[in-house]
Amino acid sequence: ILHALLMAPLQILVTALALEHLARQGSKTGFGSLRLWGSIGFAISTFGIGALFVDAGTVWWILPLYAVGNLILGVIAYTFPDADVHGPTSWREGLGLLRQERPFLWFLLGLLLLGMTLGIVNNYISVYLVDIGGAGWMIGAALAISALCEVPLLAKVQSFIDRWGVRPMLLIGAAVLPLRWFLFAINRVPLAVLPIQATHSIAMMSL
């Protein structure tokens, strides 16, 4: 529970700092080019963990390494400049905005549902792979391939937005997910998980 409470705001705060940095650089739509480095790091670490620790039967090493890694990240994050405060905010004003802007409310509800499905898959894909007979390295590879395929797509986000706009991009990302869940539901072949996981990159790039 403590881990969930501490992790919940982390991605939001990191994204806010990244957007603030991009705004200072005059590149508000350059998030994809910045985000791709996270995908590269995620791919390397997940494949390495799957190959080195899961297959070797030393899974217990993952937790202390995770703790040390987060400690190092915390020290690095402490050196970053804070985002600028652009004005006072309050919960009451936020709730009032939701009442006034119904399309925005539906948008947030849609993101909530998408996030729930993504969270379920991210947490249980290792259990799913073991259930269908996948090896430990496949767990790391499945997570790594989804992140690696994001990299070239994230690098092209600006050109995609310029060509099609934001709304079609969001619709594409949302439409890919049900197809992915259906393929997982009918698949029983461990190696087939890898190309299915590659569709994750389309969804993440769009969203």
Side-chain angles (χ1 to χ4, degrees):
I1 295 173
L2 179 62
H3 176 266
L5 290 174
L6 293 174
M7 288 293 292
L10 187 59
Q11 185 171 352
I12 298 169
L13 293 172
V14 169
T15 301
L17 286 171
L19 292 173
E20 185 75 28
H21 169 74
L22 291 170
R24 291 196 190 105
Q25 303 298 317
S27 179
K28 292 184 178 180
T29 57
F31 184 73
S33 299
L34 190 64
R35 169 68 171 73
L36 65 84
W37 292 104
S39 298
I40 293 172
F42 181 82
I44 294 171
S45 61
T46 50
F47 183 77
I49 287 172
L52 295 176
F53 299 116
V54 178
D55 275 344
T58 53
V59 179
W60 64 272
W61 268 102
I62 295 175
L63 289 177
L65 286 173
Y66 181 71
V68 171
N70 276 283
L71 182 62
I72 295 171
L73 288 175
V75 173
I76 295 172
Y78 190 73
T79 66
F80 291 169
D82 284 335
D84 293 333
V85 178
H86 298 285
T89 59
S90 71
W91 284 98
R92 183 177 298 177
E93 290 177 2
L95 293 174
L97 176 65
L98 293 180
R99 286 195 299 268
Q100 297 168 14
E101 301 289 343
R102 290 300 175 89
F104 184 54
L105 176 60
W106 287 113
F107 175 71
L108 292 180
L109 288 174
L111 290 181
L112 173 64
L113 294 174
L114 289 173
M116 288 170 61
T117 62
L118 288 169
I120 290 169
V121 171
N122 289 338
N123 285 321
Y124 286 98
I125 190 165
S126 57
V127 178
Y128 163 70
L129 268 166
V130 170
D131 185 56
I132 63 175
W137 68 267
M138 286 187 182
I139 298 172
L143 294 171
I145 197 170
S146 62
L148 280 177
C149 291
E150 288 177 20
V151 174
L153 292 175
L154 288 170
K156 292 286 187 179
V157 164
Q158 183 59 58
S159 60
F160 292 153
I161 291 175
D162 292 341
R163 184 171 181 178
W164 293 305
V166 174
R167 187 185 297 267
M169 295 291 293
L170 286 172
L171 290 175
I172 290 171
V176 166
L177 292 176
L179 172 63
R180 183 180 171 207
W181 309 153
F182 174 74
L183 292 174
F184 275 140
I186 64 174
N187 174 59
R188 302 298 298 177
V189 180
L191 280 176
V193 172
L194 301 183
I196 296 173
Q197 270 290 94
T199 63
H200 175 79
S201 59
I202 302 173
M204 291 309 297
M205 178 272 297
S206 301
L207 298 173

